[in-house]
Amino acid sequence: MLGRLASQRLREIRQVFRQLPQVSRSFSTALNYHLDSPDNNPDLPWEFTDANKEKAKEIISHYPSNYKQSAVIPLLDLAQQQHGGWLPVSAMNHVAKVIEVAPIRVYEVATFYSMFNRTKVGKYHLLVCGTTPCMIRGSREIEDALLKHLGVKRNEVTKDGLFSVGEMECMGSCVNAPMITVADYSNGSEGYTYNYYEDLTPKKVVEIVEAFRRGEKPPHGTQSPGRINSGPEGGNTTLLGEPKAPPCRDLDAC
Amino acid sequence: MGLGHLASRALLRSSRLGASKPSHHLLRRTVVSTPELHNSEAAAAEAQPEPDLPKRTPVAGARVHFPNPDDAIEVFVDGYPVKIPKGMTVLQACEVAGVDIPRFCYHDRLSIAGNCRMCLVEVEKSPKPVASCAMPALPGMKIKTDTPIAKKAREGVMEFLLMNHPLDCPICDQGGECDLQDQSMAFGSDRGRFTETKRSVVDKNLGPLVKTVMTRCIQCTRCVRFATEIAGVQDLGVLGRGSGEEIGTYVENLMTSELSGNVIDICPVGALTSKPFAFKARNWELKGTESIDVSDAVGSNIRIDSRGPEVMRILPRLNEDINEEWISDKTRFFYDGLKRQRLNDPMIRGADGRFKTVSWRDALAVVAEVIHQVKPEEIVGVAGKLSDAESMMALKDFLNKMGSNNIWCEGNGPNPNADLRSGYIMNTSISGLEKADAFLLVGTQPRVEAAMVNARIRKTVRATNAKVGYVGPSADFNYDHEHLGTGPEALTELAEGRHPFYSTLSNAKNPVIIIGAGIFGRDDKDAILAVTEKIAKNINAVRPDWNGLNVLLLNAAQAASLDLGLVPESEKSIESAKFVYLMGADDENVDKLPEDAFVVYQGHHGDKGVYRANVILPASAFSEKEGTYANTEGCAQTTVPAVPTVGDARDDWKIIRALSEVAGVNLPYDSLGAIRARIGTVAPNLLQVEEREPAVFSSVSLRPDVKGTIGKAPFGSVVENFYMTDAISRASKIMAQCSALLLKK
Ligand code: SF4
Ligand code: FES
Ligand code: FES
């Protein structure tokens, strides 16, 4: 009897959760297979710019000559910066050619890492951290505010091509949660920046977006006026003095 | 380890050395009852008696090979001690000990991935279960495969694997021969706790041969490793991550490998299945017949699965010396040609040019009458590329009795050298290629001529970094090679030591030269052979312990026909022939044949040879008869009938035997045994079935000096279309699809 009750209750609880709008958890910006489209197909020519060719050479020189393929991630990153924040299939093919591996080996890497975008992103790609500390501190609201303000869905680009919103995992700024990262592709690979904006509120994040729209570069880091970097508001409260020397470092003292 | 245990082991060992079994039991019993064993450990030992030693046989005949006896280590599998060489994995050690470890991603011919975790076992002193396929066995390791921890680990892994598996076995072609099905029965739990929705994955298009249902995939990556390591086509990859991970090609890419069908066999689930076989039959309805492939000169070992009179599919059979456990796509999928365009009744072409069905009696009478009307030297016989040794023997004997000696096998050229066996077989043997460290390919594109030989070369190149030099038209290779030239000049340069590649060859310890059978058709064949022999001599490729001078034949019949001495008396006999007996010969050029010549076509397919035929005698195909074939390395193997013949067709040699009687020149054999005894008098090596008989004399030392000069003409490619080389594959719809979709234009 009790058992049946319990299972009934369990089913009810499940039902409740089922009805919650399911937040789609797609980290990457594309499917795991490629579909030809006018702006993304293997026939489009793609090459590194001359400046980036030099950079690529420099990157490859970090690895032994018989392990060129080790350069795949930095080269994909370079290609992504050059191509306005995303990797068309012809760019991946070019990288494969440069490091002399079969294209599929590059596709494998590019599909594995969610920070390689395989569909178009905005000039400013806004990545909302969705991991637990940020989530507890309100990252869902931050994302909702962004999406509502920009009028897009996740991984969609605004009509003017300026913004897109994505999600990613913990960036190690949990102490300043919630935070977003702004990947700025507006100035090509030379002016590329990847900055964190921390201690956000839904209002703040919209202000930041608007600043970007105006072409400004709002100061990154914590947005809370009372904090310096990751320090507590109003200055340090603990560990104020010099630490005591550990007793056993001083061999004579032991 | 307690003293008692030690003592029992020492006694055990000594008993295994000398004593016979009864005393061994006796000894053990004495040990158990000694007072010093009355401690806790002894009680444990008693509760778990030593496993019954004689019962342990290695799984699937796993062989232990000790490259260096000093490197032997001893491990204990469930308390049972086994000696294994250093470097073996825990899983292999268990196999030697006779314990079958469940596995999905591990495959002994592929690199180790260690990503399915099904092979977890418990190892004493290790804090958690270890993946046995990736763990090297260490001396004294105590491996436990049937403890609660190991069992629970497997059940857990199985539950995870089944979480996203669709469980659609009733509509899955793999059902009944599925590793996942079998292992979940044997090692899995009988319940699962997963109630959410399952993921689904888009199916990929890999071409006309491999059907994909990617939702069933368990990401073992065997197919990816096979494609990369063995087939040498880097098309497949693991895309995405986590629960979104899937196998695919990312861009639309058909699998253009001549070995692609093998991924069907290695896929442990039903994700990759055979497209032509899809929904055709259940594997438990099929009758398996162990036979030999005839689509090329390799003689791959196959199993023909048939249902009633129909060949349903062809699978590879393990033969380490020939095809390992792979077969080419042509071998695997040309079987549907056996059902189409078959000749099933004897026919005679009437005055109006149309064929009319007649009885065997009438057909043979007509042939016998005509053959007596022509002069003996005007009789010509050509054996086709799929002929077995028995029928070639019968044909030769018959025509000889009629007074003609103009008989040959197609593909051997007008003037074959049948005198020295070493001059036309692969002397190194196919598995021997693995010892080579430099290859010179002369006018041969092994990838299309003999896919399994090519796989061996690729294996060697990958394993030992052997260098490959190639002389011939530009061709598709799936390993690194150096293109030395297109014509025979490159050979002259090599023979004179002027070519840069010469130093690679001469520095090699075991150099291998492979001459393609395509040169048999050239006028300067002897000169080319002489030059190659000179290279072989210079680079010391032919030594008592190593014969690196090889010929790679093209057709299944070739080696046996040369063994049997099917050599025409005159090179131009076909131009003056009045009576031509085509025994399945479709690729012989009959343009030069005089208008009034009478052509008999005996064969199983209405292919090219039929166009010119006056009489058709229907014969059985390789899947329907018992026949001996010698492969390119000179290993004789026999086919076994898997299905009945179609219509009124008969075995080739029986037709000729009957014809000889009608013609009044009785052949002195009327059973398979008798004709084989006759073969034994001509070529005894053809009776050494499944045992390769190496050639005794090397052609290098015995061939007379050749006068002819080398021509300028570049080497041609002999196989234009890998998927269509003989009557069966030309009749096959699947092969037609393949050549339309997969051939590189
Ligand atoms: S398709 Fe088959 S062989 Fe390939 S990874 Fe999936 S389960 Fe393994
Ligand atoms: S959880 Fe958001 S930065 Fe760590
Ligand atoms: S077989 Fe060992 S992990 Fe897959």
Side-chain angles (χ1 to χ4, degrees):
Chain A
M1 186 61 206
L2 261 182
R4 204 185 310 145
L5 263 182
S7 74
Q8 171 108 29
R9 184 81 194 110
L10 196 72
R11 220 174 299 139
E12 276 169 24
I13 293 173
R14 275 221 185 106
Q15 281 296 312
V16 169
F17 275 101
R18 284 265 159 76
Q19 276 150 16
L20 279 182
Q22 278 227 326
V23 190
S24 84
R25 275 178 63 89
S26 81
F27 298 125
S28 120
T29 55
L31 302 164
N32 276 340
Y33 50 91
H34 166 82
L35 294 174
D36 279 353
S37 67
D39 59 353
N40 185 8
N41 66 60
D43 298 330
L44 294 177
W46 200 96
E47 258 195 17
F48 280 126
T49 59
D50 287 339
N52 281 348
K53 266 189 196 140
E54 285 308 306
K55 253 192 220 166
K57 222 181 261 159
E58 213 271 326
I59 291 170
I60 291 174
S61 74
H62 296 182
Y63 305 97
S65 57
N66 51 341
Y67 286 105
K68 271 192 180 171
Q69 66 264 40
S70 309
V72 61
I73 293 180
L75 286 186
L76 279 174
D77 185 33
L78 188 65
Q80 171 159 310
Q81 293 167 22
Q82 178 183 322
H83 200 80
W86 67 290
L87 286 168
V89 67
S90 39
M92 294 189 241
N93 289 345
H94 181 70
V95 170
K97 210 160 95 202
V98 171
I99 55 173
E100 294 164 19
V101 297
I104 184 75
R105 300 281 97 86
V106 176
Y107 306 150
E108 283 181 325
V109 173
T111 52
F112 186 86
Y113 292 103
S114 56
M115 281 150 100
F116 290 128
N117 306 315
R118 285 168 293 115
T119 50
K120 248 200 184 110
V121 295
K123 284 215 167 96
Y124 302 95
H125 190 43
L126 317 171
L127 293 155
V128 184
C129 171
T131 310
T132 320
C134 284
M135 197 185 83
I136 294 172
R137 298 277 294 145
S139 70
R140 293 250 167 99
E141 287 78 53
I142 302 279
E143 189 181 7
D144 289 344
L146 273 178
L147 295 179
K148 209 167 126 229
H149 179 70
L150 295 171
V152 289
K153 293 208 210 61
R154 191 188 280 174
N155 290 329
E156 211 177 58
V157 188
T158 51
K159 289 226 176 54
D160 52 6
L162 273 183
F163 296 101
S164 55
V165 183
E167 194 203 358
M168 44 149 209
E169 297 300 337
C170 177
M171 300 295 282
S173 301
C174 324
V175 71
N176 290 3
M179 58 87 71
I180 69 167
T181 304
V182 178
D184 176 1
Y185 300 107
S186 57
N187 300 309
S189 56
E190 291 76 33
Y192 168 71
T193 58
Y194 189 81
N195 289 328
Y196 293 0
Y197 292 84
E198 300 148 357
D199 281 328
L200 294 172
T201 57
K203 209 169 116 239
K204 276 257 170 58
V205 82
V206 170
E207 277 166 25
I208 291 173
V209 166
E210 281 313 308
F212 277 118
R213 200 194 289 283
R214 291 191 299 272
E216 292 164 18
K217 305 270 172 243
H220 54 85
T222 174
Q223 304 296 312
S224 159
R227 297 184 70 176
I228 303 169
N229 296 336
S230 305
E233 212 165 57
N236 291 352
T237 54
T238 54
L239 304 177
L240 295 173
E242 279 298 306
K244 255 196 274 169
C248 20
R249 283 292 159 71
D250 186 2
L251 289 179
D252 298 333
C254 302
Chain B
M1 186 183 293
L3 260 182
H5 199 168
L6 257 183
S8 84
R9 261 189 45 223
L11 276 172
L12 234 143
R13 217 175 280 152
S14 65
S15 73
R16 221 181 301 149
L17 281 179
S20 61
K21 264 186 200 144
S23 67
H24 153 197
H25 278 298
L26 228 140
L27 273 173
R28 263 171 78 192
R29 210 158 294 142
T30 353
V31 171
V32 171
S33 59
T34 39
E36 60 188 8
L37 282 184
H38 288 293
N39 51 31
S40 61
E41 205 176 298
E46 229 165 345
Q48 279 180 333
E50 286 261 344
D52 215 347
L53 296 186
K55 259 204 206 148
R56 297 277 173 140
T57 42
V59 175
R63 273 175 278 172
V64 205
H65 167 67
F66 291 90
N68 180 1
D70 300 342
D71 278 348
I73 55 173
E74 194 179 36
V75 299
F76 302 89
V77 179
D78 299 337
Y80 173 80
V82 277
K83 277 225 157 36
I84 50 163
K86 231 192 217 147
M88 261 197 172
T89 60
V90 171
L91 188 143
Q92 285 166 321
C94 292
E95 264 180 5
V96 174
V99 180
D100 205 355
I101 303 288
R103 84 276 315 256
F104 291 113
C105 68
Y106 175 80
H107 190 283
D108 32 354
R109 269 164 239 279
L110 302 175
S111 61
I112 294 170
N115 53 7
C116 73
R117 315 314 281 183
M118 190 62 202
C119 61
L120 293 177
V121 295
E122 198 186 340
V123 171
E124 207 169 281
K125 297 216 182 70
S126 125
K128 48 185 185 176
V130 299
S132 61
C133 70
M135 179 78 162
L138 301 172
M141 221 179 208
K142 295 213 183 57
I143 303 156
K144 295 179 184 154
T145 63
D146 54 0
T147 54
I149 291 191
K151 279 188 184 144
K152 186 136 187 289
R154 286 173 194 157
E155 282 180 11
V157 169
M158 198 42 131
E159 200 177 333
F160 274 123
L161 285 175
L162 293 181
M163 216 164 77
N164 272 320
H165 190 81
L167 303 182
D168 54 354
C169 310
I171 54 150
C172 175
D173 265 317
Q174 191 88 350
E177 49 183 3
C178 172
D179 287 358
L180 191 66
Q181 219 177 27
D182 297 348
Q183 293 183 21
S184 72
M185 285 304 289
F187 303 103
S189 166
D190 58 350
R191 63 207 68 187
R193 285 162 286 189
F194 184 75
T195 53
E196 319 303 309
T197 45
K198 301 198 177 214
R199 72 167 195 158
S200 58
V201 181
V202 176
D203 293 344
K204 313 295 182 303
N205 177 11
L206 293 184
L209 301 178
V210 182
K211 180 185 158 189
T212 63
V213 183
M214 294 318 277
T215 307
R216 294 181 190 146
C217 173
I218 56 167
Q219 280 81 36
C220 69
T221 70
R222 273 190 191 179
C223 53
V224 177
R225 282 173 286 145
F226 176 86
T228 320
E229 289 161 20
I230 304 214
V233 288
Q234 303 212 20
D235 287 336
L236 285 177
V238 187
L239 303 167
R241 70 195 296 186
S243 64
E245 180 179 290
E246 52 186 84
I247 302 290
T249 51
Y250 194 63
V251 288
E252 184 81 350
N253 217 345
L254 304 184
M255 210 176 160
T256 52
S257 161
E258 67 289 352
L259 300 178
S260 64
N262 293 303
V263 298
I264 298 166
D265 291 342
I266 59 166
C267 181
V269 299
L272 306 177
T273 51
S274 161
K275 213 175 237 178
F277 180 65
F279 307 135
K280 288 280 182 339
R282 280 307 200 173
N283 62 76
W284 55 83
E285 314 169 319
L286 302 177
K287 180 185 85 167
T289 312
E290 306 206 328
S291 191
I292 300 301
D293 168 52
V294 297
S295 66
D296 56 24
V298 178
S300 302
N301 289 205
I302 54 170
R303 195 182 86 204
I304 303 178
D305 276 357
S306 58
R307 187 176 59 185
E310 206 180 346
V311 175
M312 299 306 293
R313 63 172 179 183
I314 289 179
L315 294 179
R317 207 151 44 91
L318 181 75
N319 186 332
E320 293 290 352
D321 294 332
I322 297 175
N323 56 324
E324 299 183 278
E325 62 187 84
W326 321 119
I327 48 174
S328 77
D329 284 354
K330 186 167 41 172
T331 308
R332 187 185 294 265
F333 291 114
F334 80 155
Y335 62 84
D336 75 321
L338 291 168
K339 282 177 267 188
R340 320 179 72 241
Q341 291 193 24
R342 287 299 295 269
L343 302 171
N344 41 15
D345 286 304
M347 283 185 266
I348 296 182
R349 197 190 287 272
D352 57 351
R354 288 176 169 279
F355 280 114
K356 223 174 84 229
T357 307
V358 294
S359 68
W360 269 109
R361 180 188 295 270
D362 295 345
L364 292 181
V366 169
V367 176
E369 200 186 311
V370 178
I371 201 168
H372 277 299
Q373 281 164 12
V374 296
K375 290 200 227 80
E377 60 276 13
E378 291 169 346
I379 300 177
V380 162
V382 188
K385 48 174 74 158
L386 306 180
S387 313
D388 52 313
E390 286 82 1
S391 52
M392 286 191 286
M393 187 77 258
L395 182 65
K396 183 171 156 66
D397 280 347
F398 173 58
L399 295 193
N400 284 169
K401 276 205 165 187
M402 295 307 300
S404 159
N405 203 11
N406 280 318
I407 158 158
W408 68 89
C409 175
E410 63 182 354
N412 281 349
N415 176 19
N417 308 357
D419 298 338
L420 285 170
R421 202 155 158 266
S422 64
Y424 57 84
I425 65 168
M426 179 160 270
N427 294 303
T428 317
S429 85
I430 296 176
S431 56
L433 291 177
E434 281 179 35
K435 296 199 202 86
D437 45 6
F439 291 89
L440 175 64
L441 308 179
V442 180
T444 177
Q445 296 98 40
R447 191 164 180 195
V448 287
E449 290 175 16
M452 292 330 302
V453 171
N454 193 56
R456 254 339 145 127
I457 302 179
R458 181 176 153 80
K459 187 176 175 191
T460 315
V461 170
R462 261 181 68 91
T464 66
N465 264 325
K467 296 277 169 298
V468 181
Y470 165 66
V471 184
S474 65
D476 204 12
F477 279 87
N478 51 8
Y479 38 82
D480 284 341
H481 70 287
E482 226 173 289
H483 196 175
L484 311 178
T486 54
E489 330 70 70
L491 293 180
T492 329
E493 280 174 33
L494 278 169
E496 288 161 7
R498 285 187 282 131
H499 200 286
F501 193 72
Y502 178 77
S503 60
T504 312
L505 284 174
S506 58
N507 290 336
K509 213 165 100 241
N510 294 329
V512 159
I513 302 178
I514 301 179
I515 308 167
I519 70 150
F520 286 173
R522 286 173 70 107
D523 298 334
D524 54 356
K525 170 189 83 172
D526 287 321
I528 292 179
L529 285 177
V531 135
T532 343
E533 273 160 20
K534 188 155 164 238
I535 301 176
K537 211 183 271 170
N538 290 352
I539 62 174
N540 204 13
V542 183
R543 314 185 293 260
D545 63 325
W546 177 256
N547 190 343
L549 185 59
N550 303 301
V551 174
L552 179 58
L553 296 177
L554 283 169
N555 309 326
Q558 254 173 322
S561 74
L562 292 170
D563 282 347
L564 294 172
L566 261 65
V567 180
E569 209 162 20
S570 100
E571 292 178 24
K572 300 254 178 315
S573 52
I574 201 140
E575 287 166 29
S576 57
K578 286 273 149 41
F579 179 94
V580 181
Y581 201 101
L582 298 177
M583 190 174 72
D586 294 300
D587 294 297
E588 194 61 33
N589 189 353
V590 285
D591 298 342
K592 293 229 185 79
L593 198 66
E595 276 297 294
D596 57 345
F598 186 84
V599 179
V600 179
Y601 182 81
Q602 167 186 332
H604 39 78
H605 273 80
D607 202 50
K608 292 181 196 162
V610 171
Y611 297 143
R612 184 65 181 76
N614 297 77
V615 174
I616 294 176
L617 305 177
S620 44
F622 79 102
S623 53
E624 298 149 10
K625 67 181 171 193
E626 207 169 327
T628 306
Y629 290 87
N631 72 355
T632 184
E633 53 170 6
C635 177
Q637 307 181 94
T638 50
T639 57
V640 177
V643 288
T645 49
V646 298
D648 230 358
R650 295 285 184 276
D651 288 0
D652 286 284
W653 73 269
K654 287 183 186 157
I655 299 175
I656 295 166
R657 167 68 184 74
L659 178 61
S660 74
E661 193 163 328
V662 179
V665 287
N666 260 7
L667 291 176
Y669 29 73
D670 39 29
S671 70
L672 206 59
I675 193 165
R676 287 201 174 143
R678 163 73 182 127
I679 288 175
T681 61
V682 183
N685 59 295
L686 288 179
L687 299 187
Q688 304 283 351
V689 173
E690 272 157 42
E691 234 169 88
R692 178 173 179 270
E693 182 102 334
V696 197
F697 294 106
S698 149
S699 55
V700 174
S701 50
L702 284 175
R703 203 191 293 276
D705 276 347
V706 183
K707 304 254 159 38
T709 50
I710 286 189
K712 283 259 170 314
F715 293 112
S717 43
V718 234
V719 178
E720 291 296 344
N721 180 349
F722 166 73
Y723 296 104
M724 290 195 172
T725 48
D726 50 53
I728 304 178
S729 52
R730 278 191 291 255
S732 156
K733 225 178 181 170
I734 307 171
M735 290 293 106
Q737 270 173 1
C738 289
S739 32
L741 289 171
L742 300 182
L743 278 191
K744 298 222 175 77
K745 298 281 148 46

